[in-house]
Structures are given as structure tokens and as C-alpha cells.
Amino acid sequence: METIDWLWILHPFLAVVLIYPLIGVVLRLGVQTRQRRLGTARLPATTGSEHNDLGQWLALGVVLISLVALTVVIATDKPLNQFVGGPARLVELLLVLVGTVVCLLALWRSSSQAMRFSFAFITWAGVIGLGAQPEVFRLGDNPFKPEFWQSHYWAGVAVVGLMLFSLGAKNEILRQLRWRRIHVAANVLAALLFVVQGITGTRDLLEIPLHWQKPALATCDWLTHKCVAPAALIK
């Protein structure tokens, strides 16, 4: 494996080592928090605050790892001296990336409801804007076709949106029953999407070749599943 191949597995590595274990802990604490509120189990008073704190770290981690994935894909598609759009587009994308990270940190620190939801939306827009670049692979962009619903990218966009919603509504979730119900419904959907991400991410890892293998695979016909014979390549 070359350096570029190690960069490509950085995103799944961080997800497996950090995100998925944290999902299990947050879900377990969420169930315990609900049990404590309903009085069906005697649990420590810190259960709710631990669920809230770790849930915020989970949301932050999901967004940052998604930005890592998008940055690696865009930056390694071609050598920088062959970057499509030249220095102007490169600087523009860097500004979008920096602005998205700044908005995410501002969301983390904001106390005002309007500011939190504004920063959450801007952060999500930044993620979508980077993901819309031609270097980012997507099975399809048409929601009326099955490829769209099988896309690792679009499921990831949905998960990021749900995580940002949880960060944006963190104070309301703590104080109001209606927001807690919305939070529970959003987290059930997020849990299902994380399962989908695990499946589609594993599928995509099988389909992504090593960097040095790409020229040979470019000769393959992906519709008929046939490649040029090695002997023909030598000739």
C-alpha cells in the first residue's frame, strides 16, 4: 500500500475505532436515561448528563470524520499540480472546509437557540457543498432511483444532518418533552442509518482498488464484468 491508500482507509479506521463503539455507549446510556425518567430502574443521577455529554462528542466526531473523508477524496483524486480548476478552486474549497469547521465549533459553543440552529444548518450546507464536488463518488443523485438509496455518501449526509440537529437542539431536548420525543425518533433513524453505513462502507472498501491497480482496472467493462486479459496488456 502507498501513502494515498493509507489516507483512503483513515475515514473507515476512525469510524470503526472511535464512532461505532461510542454509538453503543450512547445508545445504552439513552435507554438507561429513559428508564430512570420513567422510574423503571434505579440508576445514578449522572446517567442523563453522561448520555448528553457523550452524545455531543459522538455528533462532533461524526461530522469531523465526514469532513476528513471528503477532504481526502478531493485532495487525492489527482496531484495538486493537476487539480481541476487550478489554485482558485483549491483556495475556494479550502475556505469552505475552514468555514465549515469554524461553524461546527461555533455550534458547539453557542447558547442561543437561533445561533445554534443557524450554525447547524450552515455546517450541514458546508458538508453537502464539499460532497457535491465531482471528485466525490456517489452511486446516484436521483432519489427516484434505487442507486440513490444504496449510496454510502447520501446515507452519510443524512447521518450528519441528524447529528447536527442533536447538537443544535441540545438545550431544548433537555428541557422539553416534545423535543425529547423528536430526539428519540431522530436517533432511531440515525441508528438504522449507521447500520446502513456499516454495510455500504464495507461494500465500497471492497470496490475501491489500491492506487497502483487503477490503471489496469480502467480497462475493465463494468457492465459485463470483463477485463482485458493480462497477455493482451503485455502486447
Side-chain angles (χ1 to χ4, degrees):
M1 290 178 63
E2 300 177 358
T3 302
I4 189 173
D5 300 309
W6 287 107
L7 288 174
W8 272 71
I9 66 170
L10 180 60
H11 161 66
F13 164 75
L14 292 173
V16 170
V17 173
L18 299 177
I19 298 301
Y20 279 88
L22 191 54
I23 290 172
V25 175
V26 171
L27 286 176
R28 177 57 179 163
L29 286 171
V31 172
Q32 290 181 337
T33 299
R34 179 169 176 78
Q35 289 175 335
R36 186 176 181 277
R37 282 203 180 106
L38 296 176
T40 58
R42 300 184 67 179
L43 295 162
T46 57
T47 301
S49 60
E50 289 175 355
H51 169 67
N52 178 62
D53 293 342
L54 288 177
Q56 290 185 47
W57 281 108
L58 171 63
L60 183 69
V62 168
V63 180
L64 288 176
I65 289 176
S66 298
L67 290 173
V68 168
L70 294 173
T71 301
V72 169
V73 169
I74 295 172
T76 60
D77 183 64
K78 291 181 180 179
L80 288 180
N81 58 357
Q82 301 176 20
F83 191 76
V84 178
R89 178 170 176 257
L90 179 60
V91 171
E92 181 182 356
L93 292 177
L94 283 174
L95 289 175
V96 172
L97 175 62
V98 172
T100 303
V101 173
V102 170
C103 286
L104 177 61
L105 296 178
L107 167 61
W108 181 271
R109 301 281 298 182
S110 296
S111 57
S112 165
Q113 182 187 56
M115 296 298 290
R116 280 186 278 108
F117 280 107
S118 296
F119 283 127
F121 178 78
I122 296 172
T123 303
W124 196 35
V127 172
I128 294 175
L130 291 171
Q133 303 307 308
E135 293 88 352
V136 179
F137 175 75
R138 301 179 294 277
L139 286 179
D141 292 329
N142 188 346
F144 296 103
K145 292 186 177 181
E147 291 83 3
F148 177 88
W149 301 100
Q150 299 169 18
S151 176
H152 183 74
Y153 167 77
W154 284 113
V157 167
V159 167
V160 168
L162 291 171
M163 294 295 101
L164 288 170
F165 164 76
S166 294
L167 278 178
K170 56 186 178 182
N171 291 348
E172 288 71 27
I173 292 169
L174 290 173
R175 298 168 184 167
Q176 300 179 34
L177 178 60
R178 180 185 62 176
W179 281 96
R180 282 200 294 272
R181 288 173 176 170
I182 296 174
H183 174 64
V184 170
N187 280 356
V188 169
L189 177 57
L192 292 174
L193 288 172
F194 276 121
V195 173
V196 172
Q197 286 295 85
I199 297 171
T200 57
T202 305
R203 177 204 64 199
D204 288 357
L205 282 176
L206 290 173
E207 294 182 350
I208 297 172
L210 294 175
H211 185 65
W212 63 268
Q213 296 172 335
K214 288 183 178 181
L217 292 176
T219 65
C220 297
D221 187 331
W222 300 101
L223 295 177
T224 61
H225 296 177
K226 292 182 180 179
C227 297
V228 179
L233 288 175
I234 294 174
K235 294 178 181 178

